[in-house]
Amino acid sequence: MTIFEKANRAGVRSFINRTLASLKKDPDKAIDQLVKTAKTFKALDPEDLKTWESLARNRNHPWREMALEALDRIHENILKTSLLNIFFYHAIQGEKRREEWQEKLDLPAASFMVVEAQNRQGTLTYQDLDNLVTQGKDLGIYFYFLRDLDLEARQREIILLASKHNDCIFYLWISGACLDRGLAAYMKKLGNVHFLVEIQSGKELENLDALAWIWSQGLPVTAVIHLDKKNYKEVAEGDFLDLLIQRGVQFLCCFQDLPLGAKLEGGLDPQEKVWIRKKLADLDSREGAKKILVVDYDGGGLEGLFVTGSGDLLSRQEVADPLGNVKKTGLVEAYKKRKQ
């Protein structure tokens, strides 16, 4: 980084530390001050500013309660590191790089990457993952979802990857049965690794015990679900979210175009996608909001890249049609084919 970038990073880190300390001491005053600062520096778009103003006015808002609960229970280093990576690397440095590539290639900029660590056709080694993240950061990508990764067998590689790329956030996408409890202590030291527990809808949800255990360890509780014709209405309208909230889940990531490279069964049609997108968008700061943040990775302008265990780069729109192979051509060269 340049001296100017280092100074900016130091400023963001200092601001985060002061804000967290203020929230613990006097949350009402701290939130009011955050809103004033955001207005002064025009740091938020109008919709986000409305959210913060709502949190400042409504002392009983579910999102306010969720944020203060996270502040009280999530390990301090995880909070500080994750917030620094989100605000400085993703939002400031990453946005600058994404805009540069978007202008250079005339392509929608990707803000996250889903990586399948292995499949029947191959496995991404540590060197493959390291190269992928290095090239991804050059494109402005600082969020990585790592799927099908044997946590126990590759624990050392995960630690090395997260340590080297401590400016990124890594989500270990697992089922509850694959939860590696031995990683928890390392995750607190690293600060930029989170468990992402895959769930299914239904009256008897699996993996709830895993979610509760993660919460008990002072780690962020994030769940992920693949939306299809069978579950999309239940996720948006039923008491599904309430059940997750009871287990400490604070973030729910929703995807539609998965699994990687496979033919989707029961995928949503265009009308259903519009319906679910509106429903998920309604789960915001207004009346009826719940104590959970739901992120729709197939809506709201979010763009992602998907890499299979064999190294094929897939677009979100054409999950079975590789753009290229990152092992052979590199990420940027394969990414350029999105324009063709």
Side-chain angles (χ1 to χ4, degrees):
M1 289 190 298
T2 65
I3 295 176
F4 179 71
E5 288 172 333
K6 289 180 179 178
N8 276 345
R9 180 182 63 180
V12 173
R13 180 186 283 118
S14 177
F15 178 76
I16 289 171
N17 292 341
R18 292 197 310 271
T19 300
L20 292 177
S22 298
L23 284 168
K24 287 185 177 181
K25 184 178 180 181
D26 189 340
D28 292 341
K29 183 178 179 180
I31 292 175
D32 288 340
Q33 185 58 47
L34 280 172
V35 173
K36 291 178 182 177
T37 302
K39 285 182 176 179
T40 300
F41 293 97
K42 298 181 179 179
L44 297 172
D45 63 41
E47 286 302 312
D48 288 337
L49 185 58
K50 287 181 182 178
T51 297
W52 278 97
E53 289 176 331
S54 177
L55 293 176
R57 290 193 305 270
N58 185 356
R59 306 302 186 193
N60 297 314
H61 195 285
W63 279 13
R64 182 190 182 92
E65 183 182 348
M66 178 184 69
L68 295 179
E69 201 171 67
L71 183 66
D72 182 57
R73 299 192 61 168
I74 295 178
H75 191 273
E76 184 177 30
N77 186 48
I78 293 176
L79 275 176
K80 290 182 176 181
T81 303
S82 296
L83 288 173
L84 178 66
N85 291 359
I86 291 169
F87 288 109
F88 178 72
Y89 292 108
H90 170 73
I92 298 177
Q93 281 209 155
E95 183 63 22
K96 179 182 177 182
R97 290 177 182 174
R98 291 192 295 273
E99 287 178 353
E100 289 172 352
W101 279 106
Q102 188 168 356
E103 183 177 349
K104 184 177 180 179
L105 299 177
D106 191 24
L107 285 169
S111 58
F112 67 91
M113 188 183 300
V114 180
V115 182
E116 183 183 45
Q118 62 185 40
N119 61 16
R120 293 180 181 178
Q121 286 73 44
T123 299
L124 295 177
T125 65
Y126 169 77
Q127 288 73 24
D128 292 330
L129 293 172
D130 180 30
N131 289 335
L132 195 58
V133 175
T134 300
Q135 295 175 74
K137 289 194 294 186
D138 187 48
L139 291 173
I141 302 173
Y142 288 87
F143 287 90
Y144 294 87
F145 298 84
L146 305 181
R147 299 183 72 218
D148 300 316
L149 190 65
D150 188 331
L151 302 191
E152 186 174 357
R154 304 185 68 176
Q155 184 183 105
R156 183 173 178 273
E157 295 179 17
I158 295 168
I159 295 169
L160 286 173
L161 189 69
S163 297
K164 181 176 180 179
H165 301 284
N166 58 3
D167 47 359
C168 297
I169 293 182
F170 296 94
Y171 290 94
L172 306 179
W173 188 323
I174 59 172
S175 69
C178 297
L179 180 65
D180 184 352
R181 298 170 191 263
L183 258 179
Y186 293 105
M187 293 167 75
K188 293 174 185 177
K189 293 178 181 179
L190 292 165
N192 63 332
V193 182
H194 301 211
F195 285 123
L196 183 67
V197 180
E198 186 165 355
I199 57 175
Q200 299 293 333
S201 62
K203 293 182 179 179
E204 295 184 4
L205 277 173
E206 296 180 357
N207 301 327
L208 291 185
D209 289 342
L211 294 170
W213 182 85
I214 292 171
W215 186 230
S216 73
Q217 298 301 302
L219 304 174
V221 187
T222 309
V224 61
I225 189 167
H226 171 227
L227 298 175
D228 56 30
K229 288 182 179 296
K230 294 181 180 179
N231 66 19
Y232 78 103
K233 286 191 175 181
E234 182 179 355
V235 170
E237 291 190 325
D239 40 71
F240 173 76
L241 293 178
D242 292 327
L243 190 57
L244 295 183
I245 292 169
Q246 292 171 13
R247 294 303 192 279
V249 178
Q250 296 177 309
F251 305 96
L252 175 64
C253 303
C254 297
F255 286 91
Q256 295 171 22
D257 293 336
L258 293 174
L260 285 170
K263 183 179 180 181
L264 288 173
E265 298 292 340
L268 302 181
D269 60 38
Q271 287 184 332
E272 291 167 336
K273 288 187 176 185
V274 170
W275 185 88
I276 189 65
R277 193 168 297 156
K278 183 179 184 304
K279 284 291 183 180
L280 294 180
D282 287 341
L283 294 170
D284 58 11
S285 64
R286 289 142 186 81
E287 293 299 324
K290 292 181 178 290
K291 197 174 69 171
I292 188 171
L293 180 61
V294 181
V295 182
D296 177 13
Y297 277 92
D298 292 280
L302 293 173
E303 289 284 343
L305 296 178
F306 303 88
V307 179
T308 70
S310 53
D312 287 335
L313 178 68
L314 310 173
S315 70
R316 181 164 57 93
Q317 293 80 14
E318 300 170 323
V319 295
D321 184 17
L323 298 170
N325 191 285
V326 298
K327 290 185 177 183
K328 299 176 182 178
T329 66
L331 177 63
V332 175
E333 288 305 311
Y335 176 67
K336 288 178 180 178
K337 292 185 179 180
R338 296 185 79 182
K339 190 174 182 180
Q340 298 176 3

